[in-house]
Amino acid sequence: MADVIYTVVERAIVERLRTGLGKMVRACESYGGELDDDLATVVTLLPAVWVTFGGIEKTVPVSTARREFRSTGIWVVMIGEKTNVRSNVAGRRGGPLLSEVGTYPLLYAVRRLLSSQDLGVAIDFLRPGRVRTLFNSRVAQTPVTAFAAEFRADFIENALPMDAWPAPTGADDLDALFTRYGAHTDAPDPDVAGIDVTADLVGKP
């Protein structure tokens, strides 16, 4: 079954960051609750970035037929880094060692790699948005910082006709979800086999 646009964009962001960040991070994945774990466990993963879908900010119609809508989605990149134990300032800015990327340079790299990119998927482009601090903590004398960087992008969603039900055309159709779970569906429209041009000529000289 095909993936919905939220998943497609999330996966594309992960792949671009994984390639673009190289050895700056130890992990680049879709978010799976890592920052909800005990901070002592989180420290062993850093530096790392995680990506998640943050919701839909707004949806507006783009046609008078009420069948097509432009939605603005939010995707969030969470950036975690151990700051330099010698100096919190140096840790945020980066240090002399290759392993001391720094929180601010890592944030810069993420926004640099993603801003204005369409990732080859059905969105207009990613627009950088708000950046907020998730936490500044100290674990076993190791300062840990995490940021959340938001990106927005518009995509088109199509609505069903009035009183219609999903009519999946195959396993790769997004609406195959309804068939899989035994939900009510309509039969897909039949393929056009041909056009009978003689019907309009009956009775005509």
Side-chain angles (χ1 to χ4, degrees), residues 22-75:
K23 295 180 180 179
M24 285 186 238
V25 294
R26 297 182 63 183
C28 178
E29 306 289 345
S30 289
Y31 184 59
E34 287 83 356
L35 294 179
D36 296 327
D37 292 337
D38 182 76
L39 281 182
T41 301
V42 173
V43 168
T44 65
L45 305 174
L46 304 180
V49 299
W50 298 277
V51 182
T52 190
F53 176 59
I56 294 176
E57 185 174 58
K58 65 178 180 179
T59 300
V60 297
V62 294
S63 71
T64 56
R66 299 183 302 179
R67 293 280 307 280
E68 195 172 70
F69 297 87
R70 180 179 296 275
S71 296
T72 302
I74 303 172
W75 286 265

Side-chain angles (χ1 to χ4, degrees), residues 17 20-21 24-25 47 49 79-83 88-113 147:
L17 290 179
L21 293 176
M24 285 186 238
V25 294
V49 299
I79 302 161
E81 168 67 306
K82 294 175 290 189
T83 56
N88 283 344
V89 174
R92 290 192 296 270
R93 294 176 180 173
L97 301 178
L98 194 62
S99 60
E100 298 174 332
V101 182
T103 312
Y104 296 163
L106 193 52
L107 173 61
Y108 163 81
V110 166
R111 285 168 61 90
R112 178 70 166 164
L113 289 169
F147 284 108

Side-chain angles (χ1 to χ4, degrees), residues 164-175:
W165 299 94
T169 57
D172 291 334
D173 189 330
L174 283 173
D175 283 346

